[in-house]
Amino acid sequence: GASVYVAPRAFVPGGSSIESFHELVPMASADKSGAYCMRARTGPCTGVTGPELSRCQILLGLATLMLVEALSEVPTFLAMKKWWAVLAKWLLGPRSASVAAGSASRRLANQTPGWNFATGGYTLRKQQRVMVAFSLTLPWIMTFVHGASYFLLVVLVKRLFIGKFREGPVQGSWDYFRHWLLERLVTNSTFAEFMELWVNTEILSCCYRLLGARIAPRVNMDFFAAVEFDLIQVEKDVVFGSSVLLVNTYHGTSGRIVLRQGACILDQACVIAEATIPEGALLGSFTVVPRGSNLKAMTVYSGCEGGDCVQLF
């Protein structure tokens, strides 16, 4: 229908429909299976669409995305070239390695055991020795060098081009474009795979700090999904489950999310803007904390009923 809002982690299966001016809340399904809650809206959805936003996405957004992806490959190729030379030196000796790197003369090449200058390289047996070792270590280069390069470029784009996100209404095409661009960058598979390498380590906390989030020490950190990292505050001794979603912008208004000391947010939980998780509170798996919720400290919440989390004890 017209002016429909589908909330984060809501499900719209094939064959289902949503009435005009209605909202499907988080974790709800439009076919009325499982959790279901559809709320009537009093006005149209907020947002910016049309030619102005489309021009930003095409002229600036796509160019930035392709540039980040391309530049992240440069250190990867340089690392692969350097690693091949190291393996050649280690497996075939320093003379063969110098020839492989292109720094030896024709005379040195002819004097190198196993080197066939007429064919322009090592003999097949020599090549296979280096190729096998190189192939076995190639996934490590792609995972760490390519992943780290892509992440650092995302941080650079975030700081120099996108800028900080602030609380309040999202105004104009530029604000929506900034949100769209960073969302495209941080939902890339390369970004996710690199961040997941550091689950439950302080390195992951440092990565989120570089993106703008305020993360205290001693956080049992897992990879969580978010876009406006500047509006996230996590105090010490907080425990994350997997696949947690923090939504800082909801219905066109951005708000801060605060996780107080000792809070526990388990798998697949979803926290909406302007919500504060108090000290010692526990959110069970698939819990939805709606916008502006005032939860109680040292209390257990779980699930989703009518778009709100359910207090257990």
Side-chain angles (χ1 to χ4, degrees):
S3 193
V4 166
Y5 184 85
V6 180
R9 291 195 174 166
F11 302 92
V12 186
S16 58
S17 62
I18 304 176
E19 299 176 19
S20 298
F21 293 96
H22 277 70
E23 170 191 359
L24 192 64
V25 302
M27 301 294 181
S29 177
D31 63 354
K32 303 184 180 181
S33 63
Y36 174 77
C37 181
M38 192 178 295
R39 295 173 174 170
R41 296 176 51 79
T42 57
C45 293
T46 57
V48 175
T49 58
E52 185 176 353
L53 180 58
S54 298
R55 283 195 296 268
C56 290
Q57 292 173 339
I58 295 174
L59 299 179
L60 292 177
L62 294 181
T64 303
L65 294 175
M66 290 189 291
L67 183 62
V68 170
E69 191 65 45
L71 290 178
S72 66
E73 300 287 353
V74 175
T76 307
F77 288 125
L78 294 177
M80 291 166 60
K81 181 180 178 181
K82 182 65 175 178
W83 182 236
W84 179 275
V86 171
L87 288 176
K89 182 177 180 179
W90 179 43
L91 296 174
L92 304 179
R95 283 189 175 182
S96 297
S98 63
V99 175
S103 60
S105 64
R106 180 188 183 99
R107 181 174 54 83
L108 179 60
N110 287 326
Q111 295 174 354
T112 302
W115 177 264
N116 187 342
F117 190 85
T119 60
Y122 302 111
T123 61
L124 180 60
R125 181 175 297 180
K126 294 287 187 178
Q127 289 178 351
Q128 288 177 340
R129 289 176 59 185
V130 181
M131 180 59 70
V132 169
F134 181 79
S135 300
L136 291 175
T137 55
L138 186 59
W140 296 87
I141 297 177
M142 293 300 298
T143 300
F144 288 96
V145 179
H146 183 220
S149 302
Y150 183 88
F151 171 79
L152 292 176
L153 285 170
V154 171
V155 172
L156 191 64
V157 172
K158 165 69 171 60
R159 296 192 171 208
L160 300 181
F161 183 59
I162 296 176
K164 288 187 176 182
F165 293 95
R166 306 185 185 279
E167 298 180 71
V170 180
Q171 299 178 347
S173 298
W174 178 250
D175 278 350
Y176 279 94
F177 168 73
R178 295 193 306 136
H179 179 279
W180 174 85
L181 179 59
L182 187 57
E183 185 177 16
R184 297 285 78 75
L185 290 170
V186 301
T187 53
N188 185 288
S189 59
T190 302
F191 181 89
E193 291 167 2
F194 176 75
M195 298 288 276
E196 289 171 353
L197 292 172
W198 315 110
V199 168
N200 294 330
T201 68
E202 187 63 24
I203 296 177
L204 184 58
S205 297
C206 292
C207 290
Y208 281 118
R209 294 184 190 115
L210 289 174
L211 290 168
R214 297 173 58 187
I215 309 292
R218 278 180 18 203
V219 173
N220 189 3
M221 181 62 68
D222 204 316
F223 175 57
F224 62 81
V227 177
E228 298 91 341
F229 298 97
D230 305 289
L231 302 178
I232 296 174
Q233 179 181 345
V234 181
E235 297 183 356
K236 62 182 180 179
D237 298 326
V238 170
V239 177
F240 279 90
S242 64
S243 302
V244 171
L245 175 63
L246 305 181
V247 183
N248 291 96
T249 298
Y250 197 70
H251 289 319
T253 302
S254 299
R256 185 172 298 277
I257 293 177
V258 181
L259 309 179
R260 297 296 184 190
Q261 180 176 352
C264 184
I265 298 89
L266 298 185
D267 303 351
Q268 303 287 342
C270 178
V271 183
I272 310 296
E274 300 178 4
T276 298
I277 311 302
E279 294 184 5
L282 187 148
L283 306 182
S285 299
F286 293 96
T287 300
V288 176
V289 180
R291 181 176 180 177
S293 297
N294 294 317
L295 306 184
K296 300 178 181 178
M298 308 303 293
T299 306
V300 177
Y301 296 86
S302 181
C304 174
E305 182 178 356
D308 298 326
C309 54
V310 179
Q311 179 179 335
L312 299 182
F313 54 86

